[in-house]
Every structure is written in C-alpha cells, then in structure tokens.
C-alpha cells in the first residue's frame, strides 16, 4: 500500500497540510515521502472539529462506541502488514518487533478498552452517612495526544483506545519522523465509521505540539516523549490547570542477583536491554551485577552484544536495526565518547558498524567498570548502549537502582522469588519485572520521578480520560 503523504486528517477528511517535511528511511537515509508538518491553522481546525464532535460522541452509548472501536481494530489489522513495513522503514524498528507492536497491538488495545467500557457502569450509587450519591463517570472532553517516534502506532493506541472508549474526541500529534504511518489511523477510522471529528491527526514538530498543548479547545493533554518536553508541557498544563498525563524517559536497572541463572538472564536481557535498537523507554540500560560474579557477567554481556544480528530492519532475522535519525545516532555516539572519557571500559561495540555505511546504525555497545554517577549511567541515551555497574549486597543494588532521576521500569533476575519480590517492592519505579518484563495491558504502566505523571493501560488508563461527578441526594430513598 502506498503511504498517504503530506496530508493531515481533520473532521474525517484528508487534506494537504500547511507544510511538509520529508520522512527519511532510517536504514538508508533516503526519503520515504513527505510527512505533514501541520501549522497552527491546521491544529485550530482539528481542535474545532473535535469540539464539534464532542456532544455526539459523548452521548453515543458506550456499547455503540465499543462496536466502532472493534471495527477500528479490524480495519487496523487488515492494514497490519503494510503498517509494519512502513514503521520499520521510518524508524528502523526490526520487523520481528514491528509485527507485534504495530498493526496487531493497537487492535488488541482497542478490543480491550471496548470490552472495558462496556463492562464498567457509567454511574454508580453510593450510600454514605448523609444519604445516597450518584457517582458519574464523564468523558474529560477533547484530548490533545502527543506521541514520539519510537513506537508510533502502539503509543498512539495507548491514548486513542481509552480516550475514544471514554467518549473523548482526540487530536493526535505524531512525531515528524513517523508522520506517514500515523495516517493509517485516519484511513482505518473512516472505514470503521468513526464519526467525523472524533479522531483528527496533525503530525508536526515542537511548534505544532506547543500550539496544541495550550489550545483553549483542549481539555486534557496526554503526552509520551522525553522528560525535557514533558516538563515544558507539564508547566503549561499546570498554569492552565489542565489535566495532563506524562509518560517520559527512563534509565531502568536490571538487578542481577548472585543466585541468578545466567543463561536465562542473558536470554532475557537480549531483548530487555536492546529491544527496538535501544529506543525503548523502559529498557534496562543499566545492569547492576554482584561484584562476586562481575567479571563473568561483563564477559557474557559483551558476548551477547557481539552476537546480536545487526542489519536491514526489514529482514525478519535482524535483531538490531538503525536508530531513527542522524541526530539520534550522533547523540548516541556522543554518549559513547563520554563513557570512555569518564573512565568506563568499552567491552563491546562503540562505533558505527563497518558493514553499514548507510543509514543510522550504531553497534550494540557495552561499558564495564561504570560508576553510577557517570553520565552514561544517569542520562537516557536511547540507543543500544549498556552500562554495567558492580554492587555489593542487595541493599547496595537497591540503592543504586534508586539513585536515578528516573523511575520507569526495571527487572530483578534471581532463582529466589521471595527475594525478588522483596527487592521489587523497594525499587522506586512505576513498573518492575521479575526474570523478565512484559507489559500487561490490564495493569497500569507509567513512571515516578522524572519518568512521568499518571498511568496508561488497564482501568487506570481509562480513568485518565474520565472525570467523576458526584450528584448528591440521589439514588434509592
Ligand atoms: P520528544 O520529547 O522530543 O518528542 C515527543 C513528541 O513531543 C514529539 O511528537 C514532539 O514533536 C513533541 N514535542 C516536543 N517538544 C514539545 C513541546 N514543548 N510541546 C509539545 N510537544 C512537543 O521525544 P522523542 O525523541 O520523540 O521520543 C523519545 C523519548 O520518549 C524518550 O525520552 C523516551 O524515553 C520517551 N518515551 C517514553 C515512553 C513512556 O511511556 N514513558 C514511551 C516511549 C518513549
């Protein structure tokens, strides 16, 4: 399928955007097509269309909204193979991952929230000391949703599925790097019979996002992206007293305990530390290794990095594709230089692979002898770069894991479940996995500290798009 280029999707129609920015193929650097770069007038029109759609969509019975969400899921699934290819070309995501998280995953999430909104009562009556109160769940209103390029389809679905289920029209602002795949949501929405204006898509850069966040017609902002942008958006929303959900960066730690099964741990870290070419917010970019097994773990991780299959992301056997852009590649290479300059020891990778002169590839890289205070241990690199830090005893491991500005994810690797649970309880993050880390769509996802505010997924992800109203003096007398 040929991608839709240079268009925004407003009020159920595609139309040319104010400006365009070429979207480049990550593996080759060649243009894939013009991405929309929506201007302020496009955003104004999108918000107007969403406001016009609000009364009708919020009044649509939940069961009918759910039917449309299921139809939208089907329409996305029908396009899955071309969407997967498009995303892989745009951002370098290996095809083996693309297949799970693009066409397929948004459909799973739409079906989940369709079922949830049908099952949850809109109103419940509570009895208290002063009588009966009806507690009503109402859509929060028009949502401004801003997404990054690393999982463009999945992270948009984190917002679209619960917002649409709750009865909220959405103005989605995808990243310029992945402006093309975003249009698939528009095509699918039209096919599924989503009423015009319930979903509007205005890809663009920071300026487009800034205009959307502060727009007087927006009732709620839901943002996924960097902590720097999240802070700026949080400040605006604070001033406007506008509800905001912020899913931000991370520097999560894998804590390998001294009793861990190293083969199983390494098999897990193969994805937990490198998935999507290191461009995943929750991945374990710090590995905390017990000093008693430090040398063995460093050697195994270096071997693991060297064994990852780097290459064409469209090849289903590729494990590491290119990073999204030249800018991102240069940023990662800058961190690799900083690691060496700070005195860490490079034990794998460290440069551009010699057999990948085109596109934005970086070798899977491992640093040993890292101090947790080093920049490569504290700052989010967002590339295939691991920092291995030694520790002495469980308390030290917990302290190091918590000695971070961020608090998004993490893992504990051990053969002792009780010990793992005890450590998991003490790590200050929004999520953590034991001997693995797989998102559960029925459980809340999000971060603490500089990793964000609020939660997505699960019933909590729906609650983020509903406001509650108490109507006193109601219910059975
Ligand atoms: P980014 O913050 O540069 O951009 C994200 C989106 O916000 C883009 O659409 C961008 O155009 C827009 N934007 C940037 N500044 C803005 C502003 N001031 N106002 C409004 N919109 C603005 O992030 P990125 O480089 O695209 O994505 C990578 C970052 O996203 C990483 O830090 C990563 O950890 C984070 N991320 C977090 C999660 C999570 O769930 N916690 C998931 C994926 C990615």
């Amino acid at each position: 399928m040929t991608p839709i280029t240079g268009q925004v999707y407003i009020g159920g129609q595609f139309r040319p955007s104010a400006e365009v920015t070429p979207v480049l193929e990550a593996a080759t650097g060649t243009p894939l097509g013009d991405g929309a770069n929506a201007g302020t007038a496009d955003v104004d029109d999108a918000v107007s269309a969403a406001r016009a759609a609000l009364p009708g969509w919020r009044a649509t019975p939940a069961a009918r909204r759910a039917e449309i969400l299921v139809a939208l899921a089907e329409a996305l699934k029908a396009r899955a193979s071309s969407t997967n290819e498009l995303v892989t070309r745009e951002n370098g995501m290996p095809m083996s991952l693309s297949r799970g998280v693009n066409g397929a995953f948004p459909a799973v999430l739409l079906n989940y929230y369709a079922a949830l909104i049908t099952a949850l009562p809109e109103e419940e009556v509570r009895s208290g000391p002063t009588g009966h109160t009806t507690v009503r769940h109402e859509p929060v209103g028009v949502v401004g949703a801003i997404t990054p390029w690393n999982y463009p389809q999945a992270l948009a679905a984190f917002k679209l599925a619960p917002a649409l289920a709750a009865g909220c029209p959405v103005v989605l602002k995808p990243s310029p790097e992945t402006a093309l795949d975003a249009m698939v949501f528009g095509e699918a929405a039209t096919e599924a019979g989503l009423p015009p204006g319930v979903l509007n898509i205005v890809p663009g850069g920071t300026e487009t996002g800034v205009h959307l966040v502060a727009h007087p017609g927006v009732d709620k902002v839901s943002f996924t992206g960097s902590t720097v942008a999240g802070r700026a958006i949080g400040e605006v929303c604070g001033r406007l007293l506008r509800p905001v959900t912020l899913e931000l960066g991370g520097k999560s730690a894998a804590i390998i305990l001294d009793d861990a099964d190293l083969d199983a741990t390494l098999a897990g870290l193969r994805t937990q530390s490198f998935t999507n070419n290191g461009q995943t917010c929750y991945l374990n970019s710090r590995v905390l290794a017990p000093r008693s097994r430090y040398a063995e773990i460093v050697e195994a991780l270096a071997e693991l990095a060297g064994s990852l299959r780097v290459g064409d992301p469209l090849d289903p056997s590729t494990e590491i594709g290119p990073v999204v852009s030249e800018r991102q590649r240069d940023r990662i290479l800058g961190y690799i230089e900083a690691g060496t300059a700070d005195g860490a020891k490079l034990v794998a990778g460290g440069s551009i692979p010699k057999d990948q002169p085109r596109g934005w590839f970086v070798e899977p890289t491992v640093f040993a002898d890292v101090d947790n205070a080093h920049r490569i241990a504290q700052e989010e690199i967002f590339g295939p770069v691991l920092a291995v830090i030694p520790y002495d005893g469980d308390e030290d491991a917990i302290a190091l894991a918590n000695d971070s500005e961020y608090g998004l994810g993490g893992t504990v690797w051990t053969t002792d479940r009780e010990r793992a649970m005890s450590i998991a309880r003490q790590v200050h993050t929004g999520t953590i996995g034991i001997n693995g880390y797989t998102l559960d769509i029925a459980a809340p996802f999000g971060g603490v500290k500089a990793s964000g505010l609020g939660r997505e997924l699960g019933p909590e992800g729906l609650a983020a798009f509903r406001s509650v109203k108490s109507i006193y003096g109601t219910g059975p007398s």
Side-chain angles (χ1 to χ4, degrees), residues 146-150 155 173-176 204-206 209-210 213 223-227 229 232-233 247-250 281 380 382 408 445 451:
I146 299 179
T147 47
W149 44 260
N150 62 334
L155 296 173
K173 194 217 73 73
S175 279
T206 304
V210 166
V213 166
F223 172 77
T224 302
S226 64
T227 295
I233 291 169
E247 293 287 359
L248 310 177
C281 54
E380 185 182 49
F382 228 51
L408 186 56
F445 173 80
S451 291

Side-chain angles (χ1 to χ4, degrees), residues 220 223 244-248 408 430 444-449 451-457 460-461 464:
K220 152 103 197 184
F223 172 77
V244 62
T245 300
L246 301 170
E247 293 287 359
L248 310 177
L408 186 56
F445 173 80
V448 297
K449 302 193 280 183
S451 291
L453 284 179
R455 293 292 178 267
E456 296 191 300
L457 302 182
E460 291 81 1

Side-chain angles (χ1 to χ4, degrees), residues 18 42 148 169 182 216 244 252 260 343 370 387:
D42 292 323
V244 62
S252 302
V370 180

Side-chain angles (χ1 to χ4, degrees), residues 51 138-146 159 168 212-223 230 233-247 453-455 461-468:
R51 288 230 75 83
E138 299 184 340
V140 70
V142 168
V143 172
I146 299 179
K159 304 177 188 316
C168 300
L212 179 62
V213 166
H215 201 289
V218 168
D219 299 299
K220 152 103 197 184
V221 174
S222 181
F223 172 77
I233 291 169
E235 278 180 27
V236 173
C237 290
R239 179 164 47 77
L240 297 171
L241 295 179
R242 180 165 295 171
V244 62
T245 300
L246 301 170
E247 293 287 359
L453 284 179
R455 293 292 178 267
L462 182 68
F465 296 106
R466 297 170 107 194
S467 61
V468 271

Side-chain angles (χ1 to χ4, degrees), residues 61-269:
R64 177 65 192 136
R65 290 202 300 265
E67 278 172 10
I68 298 175
L69 260 58
V70 170
L72 181 56
E74 287 305 310
L76 290 172
K77 270 200 281 186
R79 291 163 171 75
S81 64
S82 62
T83 309
N84 298 342
E85 183 180 328
L86 183 54
V87 173
T88 289
R89 286 187 188 279
E90 286 173 317
N91 71 2
M93 178 183 289
M95 183 48 85
S96 54
L97 177 63
S98 233
R99 281 189 183 139
V101 301
N102 292 310
F105 178 79
V108 169
L109 214 49
L110 284 158
N111 286 325
Y112 169 74
Y113 279 109
L116 195 64
I117 199 68
T118 319
L120 289 178
E122 192 177 339
E123 297 185 350
E124 57 183 289
V125 178
R126 295 191 196 164
S127 60
T130 54
H132 292 98
T133 297
T134 298
V135 177
R136 234 185 102 62
H137 299 269
E138 299 184 340
V140 70
V142 168
V143 172
I146 299 179
T147 47
W149 44 260
N150 62 334
Y151 289 85
Q153 291 274 312
L155 296 173
F158 272 37
K159 304 177 188 316
L160 294 181
L164 298 179
C168 300
V170 177
V171 177
L172 173 66
K173 194 217 73 73
S175 279
E177 293 85 347
T178 48
L180 300 179
D181 73 85
M183 292 300 125
V184 175
F185 285 114
E187 276 184 317
T190 299
E191 184 180 303
L194 196 70
V198 172
L199 173 63
N200 308 277
I201 308 169
V202 284
T206 304
E207 244 177 80
T208 314
V210 166
H211 190 63
L212 179 62
V213 166
H215 201 289
V218 168
D219 299 299
K220 152 103 197 184
V221 174
S222 181
F223 172 77
T224 302
S226 64
T227 295
V228 170
R231 283 191 207 281
I233 291 169
E235 278 180 27
V236 173
C237 290
R239 179 164 47 77
L240 297 171
L241 295 179
R242 180 165 295 171
V244 62
T245 300
L246 301 170
E247 293 287 359
L248 310 177
K251 192 75 196 179
S252 302
I255 303 177
I256 304 180
L257 296 185
D258 49 12
D259 65 356
D261 170 342
L262 202 53
D263 288 344
T265 302
L266 269 284
L269 291 181

